[in-house]
């Protein structure tokens, strides 16, 4: 099924070229197309070049550069031949397609008011990121996310980029929503600003985020958190990639409304995020009762440690 999803991202006439890459669906991570450069794929963290016949090579092939027409044909196909209908997503630099796969876009930016992105034109770079759900990745940490009465603890995942924090967050959301032996299932609301958690396509989550989960897709975190609190009355509110004082203020307001919180932030350690100005107050106030720190120091992503609200290892 995943192999077919990958092939269907390309027009019919191009699918033969991508058959060999799609056959590696279980370990295929990225497909990159750049005008005037050969296409590349990332399979199991190893880069391969794709020649005109679709063969995967470990060296740059001659005469296999992507043309502007080829890339535009893929983009139109991804937009179901109505690019205008996807203008809002394109303006943000990405598309989410069926299966939860995410397509990054780059080209020439059209600005309005001098500094606000209105749209992209002459899109000449595509990065198709293949979605991979890893169910059960959070099983080990689940016992630490509940109190003795089965209530969910406010939890922050700390992780460097590319270390699986969104995959971990998605699996935690699924467990909290469906229920576990540590606590019953609860209503979970997700602000999926970049469509990476649920991978929604036409408003429907393509990833399994649980039976009691509601998703607000493509909405800025600060606005989305309050919208969901007013509209969906969640027991747990989940967001990805905290990055500003505004995000923190919205979290504090959500906590004051009785929501439990699950969030992520980029960082190598608790010490590093404590140095972020906008994090100091909430860490001192112990808004978060659990910290999960992920690491890739050994070359593989893993949980480095689980800490309580005081920063002590659990």
């Amino acid at each position: 099924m995943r192999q077919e999803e990958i092939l269907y991202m390309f027009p019919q006439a191009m699918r033969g070229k991508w058959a060999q890459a799609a056959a590696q669906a279980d370990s295929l991570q990225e497909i990159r197309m750049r005008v005037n450069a050969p296409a590349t794929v990332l399979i199991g963290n190893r880069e391969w070049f794709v020649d005109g016949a679709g063969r995967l090579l470990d060296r740059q092939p001659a005469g296999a550069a992507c043309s502007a027409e080829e890339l535009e044909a893929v983009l139109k196909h991804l937009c179901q031949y109505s690019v205008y209908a996807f203008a809002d997503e394109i303006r943000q630099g990405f598309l989410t397609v069926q299966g939860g796969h995410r397509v990054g876009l780059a080209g020439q930016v059209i600005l309005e008011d001098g500094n606000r992105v209105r749209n992209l034109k002459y899109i000449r770079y595509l990065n198709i990121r293949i979605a991979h759900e890893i169910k059960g990745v959070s099983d080990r940490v689940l016992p630490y996310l509940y109190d003795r009465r089965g209530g969910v603890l406010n939890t922050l995942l700390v992780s460097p980029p590319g270390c699986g924090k969104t995959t971990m967050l998605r699996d935690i959301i699924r467990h909290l929503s469906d229920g576990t032996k540590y606590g019953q299932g609860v209503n979970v609301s997700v602000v999926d600003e970049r469509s990476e958690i649920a991978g929604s396509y036409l408003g429907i989550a393509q990833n399994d985020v649980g039976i009691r989960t509601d998703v607000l897709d493509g909405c800025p975190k600060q606005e989305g958190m309050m919208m969901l609190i007013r509209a969906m009355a969640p027991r747990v509110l989940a967001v990805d990639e905290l990055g500003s004082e505004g995000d923190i203020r919205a979290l504090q307001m959500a906590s004051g409304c009785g929501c439990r919180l699950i969030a992520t932030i980029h960082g190598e350690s608790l010490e590093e995020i404590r140095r972020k100005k906008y994090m100091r107050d909430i860490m001192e106030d112990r808004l978060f009762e659990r910290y999960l720190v992920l690491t890739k120091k050994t070359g593989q992503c893993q949980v480095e440690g689980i800490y309580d609200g005081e920063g002590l290892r659990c």
Side-chain angles (χ1 to χ4, degrees):
M1 186 67 178
R2 184 53 56 95
Q3 183 175 347
E4 292 179 359
E5 287 177 356
I6 294 167
L7 285 177
Y8 288 165
M9 284 190 276
F10 297 93
Q12 179 72 47
M14 296 184 187
R15 290 174 191 169
K17 175 179 178 178
W18 295 102
Q20 187 174 348
Q24 308 295 319
D26 289 344
S27 53
L28 179 62
Q29 297 162 270
E30 290 183 350
I31 298 172
R32 289 183 180 263
M33 300 179 68
R34 303 174 175 97
V35 170
N36 296 330
T40 62
V41 295
L42 190 65
I43 300 174
N45 292 319
R46 181 178 177 184
E47 183 185 59
W48 298 85
F49 291 97
V50 182
D51 72 3
R55 292 173 297 188
L56 304 183
L57 308 174
D58 58 5
R59 64 188 183 281
Q60 182 174 336
C66 296
S67 67
E69 292 75 19
E70 182 180 4
L71 192 143
E72 287 173 1
V74 174
L75 178 62
K76 289 178 181 178
H77 179 75
L78 290 169
C79 293
Q80 302 173 28
Y81 300 93
S82 179
V83 176
Y84 177 79
F86 288 81
D88 285 343
E89 287 187 78
I90 290 172
R91 178 176 56 82
Q92 297 179 68
F94 67 88
L95 299 171
T96 302
V97 300
Q98 190 166 8
H101 312 295
R102 181 183 171 95
V103 183
L105 313 170
Q108 185 174 342
V109 170
I110 302 173
L111 295 177
E112 63 182 6
D113 299 328
N115 59 3
R116 183 180 176 188
V117 176
R118 181 163 66 89
N119 206 344
L120 287 177
K121 67 176 182 178
Y122 303 126
I123 294 171
R124 297 295 183 257
Y125 311 89
L126 296 182
N127 177 19
I128 302 173
R129 297 174 60 185
I130 307 303
H132 291 282
E133 285 189 275
I134 306 177
K135 291 187 177 181
V137 70
S138 68
D139 288 359
R140 177 199 157 193
V141 305
L142 279 179
Y144 300 94
L145 306 187
Y146 293 86
D147 61 26
R148 293 180 179 178
R149 296 174 295 177
V152 178
L153 297 172
N154 291 341
T155 301
L156 181 65
L157 281 70
V158 180
S159 169
C163 206
K165 63 176 174 48
T166 304
T167 301
M168 175 75 77
L169 175 63
R170 182 189 304 119
D171 200 52
I172 289 172
I173 290 168
R174 179 179 64 85
H175 277 305
L176 298 183
S177 177
D178 290 346
T180 71
K181 65 181 180 181
Y182 308 106
Q184 65 181 9
V186 296
N187 292 325
V188 181
S189 284
V190 178
V191 185
D192 201 359
E193 184 171 5
R194 297 179 179 85
S195 304
E196 291 184 308
I197 302 171
S200 296
Y201 176 70
L202 301 180
I204 300 174
Q206 303 294 291
N207 296 321
D208 185 357
V209 288
I211 61 174
R212 299 179 181 85
T213 299
D214 305 301
V215 180
L216 192 59
D217 182 57
C219 182
K221 287 187 286 293
Q222 297 173 38
E223 297 177 44
M225 283 188 260
M226 301 317 298
M227 287 174 64
L228 285 171
I229 287 171
R230 290 191 294 266
M232 307 308 295
R235 186 71 188 92
V236 174
L237 186 64
V239 297
D240 200 10
E241 296 188 9
L242 301 177
S244 69
E245 292 184 9
D247 291 347
I248 300 306
R249 286 195 298 270
L251 274 182
Q252 291 171 320
M253 292 178 65
S255 178
C257 294
C259 285
R260 310 306 293 165
L261 308 171
I262 307 290
T264 74
I265 190 171
H266 281 141
E268 299 282 347
S269 64
L270 289 185
E271 291 70 26
E272 180 181 328
I273 66 167
R274 193 175 282 115
R275 290 195 293 269
K276 299 178 187 286
K277 183 178 179 181
Y278 57 85
M279 289 296 298
R280 291 174 189 166
D281 289 344
I282 64 167
M283 293 186 74
E284 291 177 1
D285 294 341
R286 298 178 192 171
L287 176 65
F288 289 107
E289 300 153 295
R290 284 290 183 272
Y291 295 96
L292 306 181
V293 180
L294 308 184
T295 185
K296 206 174 183 179
K297 291 179 181 178
T298 62
Q300 294 189 348
C301 298
Q302 58 186 351
V303 178
E304 182 276 330
I306 303 171
Y307 302 85
D308 64 15
E310 296 181 1
L312 301 176
R313 191 179 289 268
C314 295

